[in-house]
Amino acid sequence: MSEDNDISINLNKINDNTWEVPRGYKPGMRVPGRLFLSPPLLNILEQGTLDQVANVAALPGIQKYSMAMPDAHLGYGFPIGGVAAFDREEGVISPGGVGFDINCGVRLIRSNLKESDVRPGITDLLERLFHAVPSGVGSKSRLRVNDDQLDDVFIHGSRWAVENGYGVPNDVERCESQGMMEGALVKQVSTRARQRGRPQLGTLGSGNHFLEIQYVDEIYDTKAADAFGLHEGQITFMIHCGSRGAGHQICTDHLRTLTQAAEKYKIDLPDKQLACAPTDSSEAQNYFGAMVCAANYAWTNRQVIMHWAREVFQDFFRQDMDELGMDLVYDVAHNVAKLETHKIDGKKREVYVHRKGATRAFPPEHSDVPAAYKKVGQPVLIPGSMGTASYVLHGTHDAMDISFGSACHGAGRVMSRAHAKHEFRGEQIQKDLSKMGISVRATQPALIAEEAPGVYKSSSDVVDVVHNLGIARKVARLMPIGVVKG
DNA sequence: ATGTAC
């Protein structure tokens, strides 16, 4: 038996972790595809995901390659774990390249606490966090914003939260894009999206979203870890969530207009789910402006959640913020499109980089890396699945050459939710995790089954691919102690 | 991911 599966027969091996999907793979491909996968991960890649990479390569103005990260799996139109850059003048913007949960992302907070400070009271601490941060589908916040405040959130992002008492100015500095993208078009957010967004600011949501108490169990790069304020044995806190119903509704609304626009502008789509329009069209720009509103909402959401989590820790440990040292390390988006400048064939060009289930991984000295991290590069935060390690990496110059400054975003699902519910029982998974020293507090056991460690690829395998490729380099590994699931 | 089907 060859180690190659059927999939690899049609691919060209570039190196141990890079496979090219040739232009001849499917009619209409304007550029090749690139899959960043180790041979074992290639073996479990779904045919449908490969086809989606090829479909994206057929969209107008795509630059260099249609890419898939090692955690790639089937998504709406574009694969989750997909990266595609479209020329500002000749390209397109597509909601499918961003996803329904606009600016789903991850935030990491450091602390001065040790593992031994947290273990004894972990159940009580999780219970308090569970009640401080509303979670689950359709959950409502204890923070209520009016329409004017919602506009402020859409336009100013997490700065709004800090100015209204939910955090400190340093939080904004330690955030991708300072927690605020320019170009919000509040008029492009529908009444329904507003109605869904108003009561949900400061809520976790459901699915793979979580709050997690972790400890640093391995440091790979001492210099970078020092810059990020991380050391072995230290407690960290991670928040994974997005733009809730607001982002979902914005995506739904604009998918409709961009489906019509694709016909109007006579764009030949290999898949209707790739609805898009030329970058300078009103349809594309209106979507982009609404997407910015959702992205800014998501950063504000994570900021408010972090504030409430800090309050819980202060109360629980009877320490003030200075003693606790719960500084924001960084916050990354992993579902967003951005207008960025990249060097292509030796020339600087402006491109709309769509990252869907992919993390930005900017290098040392880049202008959008916080001053404190300038020498090491942007922190890249990769959450593990429930009960498995999360990783902190840093961005690199190689990422700018290879992947438009992008890396993977997580572990990547390998089993459907329905299948997982059939395969696992939540109570049993919870017991198994408990034996491993991981406590879980969730809204219902079924959700624990859907998120069981066995339904995801190994986060360490995925991270090793990006590390070995050099598009992000490992800094630290974080192991979970307690998890709150929506 | 999602008022898990307008």
Side-chain angles (χ1 to χ4, degrees), chain A residues 176-224:
Chain A
E176 177 173 331
S177 300
Q178 291 77 53
M180 185 201 90
M181 281 176 72
E182 301 279 353
L185 297 177
V186 297
K187 287 201 166 64
Q188 298 306 321
V189 179
S190 68
T191 305
R192 188 180 286 188
R194 288 175 164 280
Q195 280 170 345
R196 291 179 71 176
R198 264 201 316 268
Q200 291 189 322
L201 196 61
T203 64
L204 187 62
S206 185
N208 64 357
H209 291 165
F210 63 74
L211 306 176
E212 190 168 278
I213 299 166
Q214 316 162 318
Y215 68 96
V216 179
D217 88 321
E218 191 163 3
I219 296 286
Y220 305 99
D221 179 338
T222 309
K223 186 185 133 200

Side-chain angles (χ1 to χ4, degrees), chain A residues 46 52 74 129 158 179 208 232 237 257 276 312 342 374 409:
Chain A
E46 306 145 293
Q52 289 190 326
L74 207 66
L129 286 166
S158 52
N208 64 357
E232 214 169 300
F237 185 71
T257 60
C276 62
V312 167
H342 287 269
K374 272 286 197 263
H409 87 303

Side-chain angles (χ1 to χ4, degrees), chain A residues 28-77:
Chain A
M29 287 175 70
R30 295 163 194 262
V31 294
R34 285 262 162 130
L35 313 175
F36 302 118
L37 299 163
S38 60
L41 288 173
L42 178 64
N43 274 317
I44 58 169
L45 184 74
E46 306 145 293
Q47 181 64 47
T49 310
L50 172 55
D51 289 340
Q52 289 190 326
V53 171
N55 289 341
V56 171
L59 295 179
I62 185 163
Q63 300 295 303
K64 288 172 79 171
Y65 317 107
S66 164
M67 287 168 279
M69 290 295 156
D71 48 342
H73 55 110
L74 207 66
Y76 181 92

Side-chain angles (χ1 to χ4, degrees), chain A residues 138-167:
Chain A
S139 59
K140 299 205 167 156
S141 180
R142 51 192 163 105
L143 163 65
R144 287 306 155 94
V145 289
N146 62 33
D147 262 319
D148 288 343
Q149 290 170 317
L150 189 64
D151 277 349
D152 275 348
V153 169
F154 285 155
I155 295 166
H156 300 297
S158 52
R159 203 179 85 200
W160 175 87
V162 169
E163 286 174 357
N164 285 275
Y166 297 90

Side-chain angles (χ1 to χ4, degrees), chain A residues 215-226 228 230-233 376 380 382 388-394 458-464 466-468 472-479:
Chain A
Y215 68 96
V216 179
D217 88 321
E218 191 163 3
I219 296 286
Y220 305 99
D221 179 338
T222 309
K223 186 185 133 200
D226 282 351
F228 296 166
L230 300 173
H231 58 264
E232 214 169 300
V376 290
V380 175
I382 308 300
T388 66
S390 295
Y391 289 83
V392 180
L393 299 90
H394 69 77
S458 153
S459 55
S460 58
D461 290 353
V462 166
V463 163
D464 280 346
V466 302
H467 175 85
N468 291 333
R473 300 285 292 179
K474 290 199 276 192
V475 176
R477 182 171 65 192
L478 315 171
M479 291 302 293

Side-chain angles (χ1 to χ4, degrees), chain A residues 297-309:
Chain A
Y297 179 100
W299 273 310
T300 313
N301 190 30
R302 292 195 285 275
Q303 179 68 34
V304 170
I305 289 172
M306 174 174 72
H307 178 74
W308 286 336

